[in-house]
Amino acid sequence: MHLFTKSSVFRLSKKRLRNRMETKIINDPIWGPIELHPLCIRIIDTPQFQRLRSIKQLGGCSFVYPGACHTRFEHSIGTSYLAKRLGQELQKKIAAEQSKELEITDEEILCLEVAGLCHDLGHGPFSHLFDLQFFKKAKPGETWEHEDASIKMIQGIFEIIQQDYVNDEEIKFIKDLVKQTDETCTEKRETKPFLYEIIANDLNKIDVDKWDYFSRDCHMLGLHHNFQCERSIKVARLVKHNGKYHISFPKSARLVIVLTGVF
């Protein structure tokens, strides 16, 4: 029995049909089945992203904790998934309130997904050991952060892959989600500052990057934790403060976030 009739297939746009055909599902040990957008698949297949398979998430910790052999590769996919989940949850709540001012588009959700996937592209060998120890001794006096390299690699990826999912302005937005600069997407940062708090939260450091590595690191090291990521996503909401909307959590969730060390 065919899943689609001929008439229903013809009603699908070419782009939607292509998305159905190219979407893939992987099984993550932390978050379970993760559906990857076709654009994410093309990014994952690049040499820039594949190198993350060789970069351990916790650097030299595996010499003490033998299970700490997970890499930036799976962490990046997990962060992408959580960025999408949190974005969609906020999108649903905003739609329910019929707030056109704060509306999150599907294009912005995709940008969040891609930014989460690419946020750690610039990490060097042994992760933070490289930028916090090696780089400082190799080039004293110079400042460098792995996000700087991530932004350059994102630009390099979009120069070589063939895609029609995001335009040049959205690529700038993706890079700005990884590390905010004074040059890109200033209007969106003023109108929707909460989008910049999902992956790299400079306001209070509560973001999906930490949610993934906290859950993943504890799992791989065999350490117990009580952090409920799914609950945190479900209870997240937007609150207006000093004229701008920011992501907020109820008091009932604050204790969980603080006690688990995420905050």
Side-chain angles (χ1 to χ4, degrees), residues 76-259:
S76 297
I77 294 175
T79 303
S80 174
Y81 167 74
L82 293 182
K84 176 183 177 181
R85 286 280 294 105
L86 181 54
Q88 288 176 332
E89 188 66 28
L90 295 175
Q91 182 187 48
K92 182 173 65 175
K93 291 179 179 178
I94 292 170
E97 297 173 359
Q98 298 182 341
S99 175
K100 292 292 183 181
E101 174 191 4
L102 304 175
E103 181 183 11
I104 300 177
T105 66
D106 290 339
E107 289 77 15
E108 288 170 336
I109 295 292
L110 177 57
C111 288
L112 286 169
E113 195 174 352
V114 173
L117 188 70
C118 298
H119 78 287
D120 272 351
L121 281 176
H123 266 293
F126 299 101
S127 292
H128 287 294
L129 181 64
F130 181 83
D131 47 338
L132 297 180
Q133 297 291 330
F134 176 80
F135 186 85
K136 288 183 178 181
K137 291 185 178 181
K139 294 189 175 182
E142 292 190 25
T143 58
W144 180 86
E145 295 179 330
H146 72 271
E147 291 90 351
D148 299 323
S150 295
I151 290 174
K152 292 181 179 179
M153 295 173 82
I154 290 171
Q155 184 61 42
I157 286 175
F158 279 104
E159 288 176 358
I160 61 174
I161 65 172
Q162 295 181 346
Q163 61 87 28
D164 57 359
Y165 299 102
V166 292
N167 56 37
D168 290 342
E169 192 62 29
E170 288 166 339
I171 293 173
K172 292 180 181 179
F173 176 48
I174 290 169
K175 293 189 289 186
D176 215 30
L177 288 171
V178 173
K179 183 177 182 179
Q180 295 185 37
T181 66
D182 296 328
E183 301 176 356
T184 56
C185 302
T186 53
E187 181 180 351
K188 192 183 292 290
R189 194 183 305 162
E190 289 296 319
T191 57
K192 299 180 182 180
F194 52 88
L195 291 176
Y196 296 85
E197 299 168 9
I198 293 178
I199 297 169
N201 191 341
D202 292 332
L203 185 64
N204 55 32
K205 307 303 180 183
I206 301 175
D207 51 53
V208 298
D209 175 28
K210 296 176 182 63
W211 289 358
D212 182 86
Y213 74 61
F214 183 82
S215 302
R216 194 173 301 276
D217 292 354
C218 286
H219 176 81
M220 299 305 295
L221 270 61
L223 302 177
H224 178 70
H225 74 87
N226 293 318
F227 175 56
Q228 299 173 320
C229 185
E230 186 64 27
R231 182 174 185 271
S232 298
I233 291 175
K234 289 291 185 182
V235 300
R237 63 183 188 272
L238 297 182
V239 173
K240 195 171 187 178
H241 179 69
N242 291 335
K244 294 183 179 181
Y245 284 89
H246 300 280
I247 299 175
S248 181
F249 303 90
K251 290 182 178 180
S252 60
R254 188 184 74 170
L255 185 61
V256 175
I257 294 175
V258 172
L259 289 180

Side-chain angles (χ1 to χ4, degrees), residues 58-74:
L58 295 178
C61 284
S62 59
F63 290 104
V64 179
Y65 293 90
C69 293
H70 55 302
T71 67
R72 292 281 164 182
F73 182 89
E74 51 264 39

Side-chain angles (χ1 to χ4, degrees), residues 4-50:
F4 299 106
T5 63
K6 287 186 177 180
S7 58
S8 65
V9 171
F10 289 138
R11 283 197 299 267
L12 293 172
S13 68
K14 290 183 178 179
K15 187 171 183 178
R16 286 185 61 198
L17 185 58
R18 185 174 68 247
N19 287 355
R20 285 179 181 272
M21 295 170 62
E22 295 184 2
T23 297
K24 293 183 179 179
I25 297 176
I26 65 168
N27 190 56
D28 183 77
I30 310 301
W31 312 120
I34 295 178
E35 184 175 357
L36 296 173
H37 188 278
L39 177 57
C40 292
I41 296 171
R42 295 183 187 184
I43 293 173
I44 290 173
D45 285 341
T46 62
Q48 291 94 325
F49 195 88
Q50 288 295 316

